[in-house]
Amino acid sequence: MCLAIPACIEQLISPDSAIVNLGGVRKEISLALVEEVTIGDYVIVHVGYALQKLDPIEAEQTLAMFNQMSKLSDDMGKVTEE
Amino acid sequence: MKYIDEFRDGDLARKIAANIRLEADHSRSYHLMEFCGGHTHAISRYGIVDLLPDNIHMIHGPGCPVCVLPIGRVENAIQLAQTPGVILCSYGDMLRIPTANGMSLLKTKAQGADIRMVYSSADTIKIAQNNPQHQVVFLAIGFETTTPPTAVVIKQAQALGLTNFSVFCNHVLTPSAISHILQSPEVRQLGVVPLDGFIGPAHVSTVIGSQPYEYFAEEFQKPVVIAGFEPLDVMQAILMLIRQLNEGRAEVENEFTRAVLPSGNRKAQMLVAEVFELRRSFEWRGLGLVPYSALKIKSNYAEFDAEQRFQIPSISIADNKACECGAILRGVKQPQDCKIFGTVCTPENPIGSCMVSSEGACAAHYSYGRWRETNADRMEN
Ligand code: SF4
């Protein structure tokens, strides 16, 4: 029940509610807990409420961080090269 | 789906796993607790343990809201549901929690009580509006993530002037539970669970932010890394914890920067502060009484407080003797240490609460981990 998912805002239906697309399923959610959400934003949805906006730049940076090789592996690379 | 699939990528997972193997110090072991049930679920479902070296031990914490609700409160909810004229609304996971005499909300419903499963707290307002002749009670449970939605409906009920709506509040707080685990006499005396660091909750932190963990990292000198719910998030958090431990640091770091700000969601926090206040103490299943670890409805909103509207006795009921949930929630034991795990106690017929929700340690282990270990045993033999 803690599980929550990122979903894209497709349509605003009132100041406090919106339709999101969850992998093809359209669902009405409440925006009562977030501010300045617009169409195209991704939000984290939990029990029918948007909890927080998702920051696309931070998401990119996190993915880039996953891709970084450990410093140790560089060092070991050097050792074997030498 | 965007922001999900790329955080489950197998190649990246192997890369992070390789980094973990390189950096983990073979001469020591690492005991890391994932506090949150969502992480427990991800670790079991994606077989993350298989990708970790043997000296990294993941310990499941008490962060499953269904698992920590004491049986006495479930019994209270059953009694409420049996009160003539009452409609009890609950999140689905709650319905199967067994009480001492083998009852559950599901069985109470089968016996004729009007119990409605809701997906969102917003549904409860509609039910109250559609049933003016009934008293509608919302059984509210959960950590800091589910509390703001409850605050929203209490305020809505007030704005709408509803006289047939109230909330049976069981909301609990994460940071106080983490501190409690570290101070717990079992953990201190037995010394069985040397906890080296914590994976901080994902969505709880979107609301409270990363700051509330600072005190705790400082006070107990344990590193905390807040992580998202996807498997790569969890693995990266493990790597970040290993780095901190190797360097002798105990800081709060945030892996889930795409959704967690240092100060969290202020709007949600203000709503919660307006509607709720701290309880002096609250019973947690498995942890016992934990001071200042839960919320109650403020007196300004007393008319929407089911504890004010109805006579709700405080009932304390011990767990089934065989059930090890208490020790498991503290990280002292593992699901397979329970004698009735997977035999008498299964997700279809749960005896303890850890087997009820898919985020519970026993249910997650039963669904995803059990066969893996049996196979590993076989291969070793
Ligand atoms: S297997 Fe069942 S009875 Fe045993 S600890 Fe887990 S929930 Fe409790």
Side-chain angles (χ1 to χ4, degrees):
Chain A
M1 85 153 273
C2 268
L3 300 180
I5 20 177
C8 183
I9 304 277
E10 281 204 340
Q11 191 186 340
L12 297 169
I13 45 182
S14 80
D16 262 354
S17 60
I19 303 278
V20 290
N21 187 327
L22 291 166
V25 182
R26 282 164 60 86
K27 201 169 172 57
E28 184 181 335
I29 59 154
S30 166
L31 300 180
L33 301 173
V34 284
E35 280 168 315
E36 292 165 28
V37 171
T38 49
I39 292 173
D41 281 348
Y42 275 78
V43 290
I44 305 258
V45 179
H46 175 66
V47 297
Y49 288 77
L51 278 187
Q52 186 62 276
K53 261 204 284 195
L54 224 123
D55 184 331
I57 298 168
E58 289 290 344
E60 284 307 317
Q61 286 175 353
T62 303
L63 284 170
M65 176 170 80
F66 293 160
N67 223 343
Q68 272 163 19
M69 288 304 277
S70 163
K71 280 201 204 78
L72 287 182
S73 70
D74 290 353
D75 295 348
M76 293 199 6
K78 275 181 213 130
V79 173
T80 38
E81 272 162 34
E82 271 162 15
Chain B
M1 287 196 286
K2 193 163 162 65
Y3 297 122
I4 297 182
D5 299 338
E6 54 283 41
F7 290 88
R8 294 182 181 172
D9 182 276
D11 288 340
L12 281 180
R14 276 181 285 277
K15 209 164 207 174
I16 305 173
N19 288 346
I20 292 176
R21 276 182 192 282
L22 271 174
E23 297 192 27
D25 178 351
H26 301 296
S27 64
R28 61 163 292 175
S29 60
Y30 301 84
H31 291 87
L32 311 177
M33 176 178 269
E34 87 277 1
F35 180 83
C36 183
H39 287 140
T40 302
H41 183 89
I43 287 169
S44 302
R45 173 163 174 194
Y46 297 100
I48 288 176
V49 173
D50 289 340
L51 297 171
L52 301 176
D54 294 340
N55 58 335
I56 299 179
H57 305 281
M58 299 307 297
I59 294 156
H60 311 308
C64 160
V66 175
C67 308
V68 298
L69 189 69
I71 312 183
R73 301 292 279 190
V74 184
E75 189 60 43
N76 287 146
I78 289 176
Q79 289 174 6
L80 270 174
Q82 287 168 335
T83 310
V86 165
I87 299 177
L88 184 85
C89 301
S90 166
Y91 292 124
D93 282 2
M94 305 294 301
L95 299 190
R96 290 170 45 242
I97 303 182
T99 65
N101 48 11
M103 275 303 280
S104 65
L105 283 168
L106 202 62
K107 287 185 185 159
T108 313
K109 183 177 160 76
Q111 289 174 359
D114 194 344
I115 298 175
R116 315 255 176 116
M117 204 175 103
V118 291
Y119 163 69
S120 162
S121 63
D123 303 339
T124 62
I125 292 284
K126 285 180 210 139
I127 294 171
Q129 284 176 314
N130 294 338
N131 295 278
Q133 71 286 20
H134 288 90
Q135 279 296 326
V136 173
V137 183
F138 175 38
L139 170 56
I141 64 147
F143 291 93
E144 290 87 341
T145 26
T146 26
T147 313
T150 306
V152 170
V153 290
I154 290 178
K155 291 202 51 137
Q156 270 173 1
Q158 191 187 46
L160 292 165
L162 292 180
T163 54
N164 66 328
F165 176 82
S166 59
V167 170
F168 181 35
C169 177
N170 294 283
H171 286 299
V172 286
L173 302 168
T174 305
S176 37
I178 304 186
S179 309
H180 185 79
I181 292 173
L182 285 174
Q183 288 165 328
S184 127
E186 276 90 338
V187 172
R188 279 218 204 116
Q189 287 165 11
L190 305 174
V192 220
V193 212
L195 289 175
D196 298 310
F198 286 85
I199 297 184
H203 298 124
V204 161
S205 307
T206 64
V207 175
I208 66 174
S210 56
Q211 276 158 1
Y213 306 100
E214 306 261 337
Y215 152 81
F216 163 87
E218 173 112 335
E219 176 76 17
F220 297 100
Q221 284 298 303
K222 306 279 178 193
V224 179
V225 177
I226 295 161
F229 271 156
E230 299 305 332
L232 297 190
D233 291 318
V234 179
M235 293 183 67
Q236 182 70 25
I238 293 171
L239 179 61
M240 290 164 78
L241 281 172
I242 288 172
R243 284 181 182 156
Q244 284 208 41
L245 290 164
N246 288 351
E247 291 163 17
R249 289 183 290 130
E251 293 164 14
V252 179
E253 289 181 316
N254 183 5
E255 183 277 340
F256 198 32
T257 48
R258 62 189 185 279
V260 173
L261 301 170
S263 58
N265 179 337
R266 301 293 291 167
K267 190 178 180 188
Q269 289 166 17
M270 271 150 68
L271 268 166
V272 169
E274 202 185 320
V275 177
F276 298 102
E277 63 190 18
L278 280 175
R279 282 183 203 266
R280 208 170 275 264
S281 89
F282 192 73
E283 185 187 344
W284 290 53
R285 195 167 185 172
L287 300 183
L289 286 173
V290 183
Y292 299 106
S293 64
L295 298 173
K296 65 176 182 201
I297 297 170
K298 275 189 179 168
S299 53
N300 297 1
Y301 296 91
E303 51 192 309
F304 305 105
D305 186 352
E307 286 174 270
Q308 304 288 332
R309 190 184 285 270
F310 301 93
Q311 297 285 331
I312 299 185
S314 93
I315 313 174
S316 193
I317 301 173
D319 275 322
N320 183 303
K321 275 208 195 74
C323 180
E324 300 278 11
C325 276
I328 293 169
L329 290 177
R330 283 173 198 262
V332 180
K333 286 197 174 160
Q334 303 212 328
Q336 59 273 33
D337 297 332
C338 171
K339 284 195 198 76
I340 56 175
F341 171 81
T343 51
V344 181
C345 184
T346 60
E348 292 76 42
N349 182 28
I351 301 296
S353 57
C354 304
M355 194 54 105
V356 174
S357 156
S358 62
E359 292 152 39
C362 293
H365 188 66
Y366 184 91
S367 308
Y368 301 111
R370 192 163 53 118
W371 308 117
R372 181 170 55 76
E373 279 184 15
T374 341
N375 288 339
D377 288 350
R378 258 189 229 128
M379 273 151 61
E380 273 166 25
N381 290 341

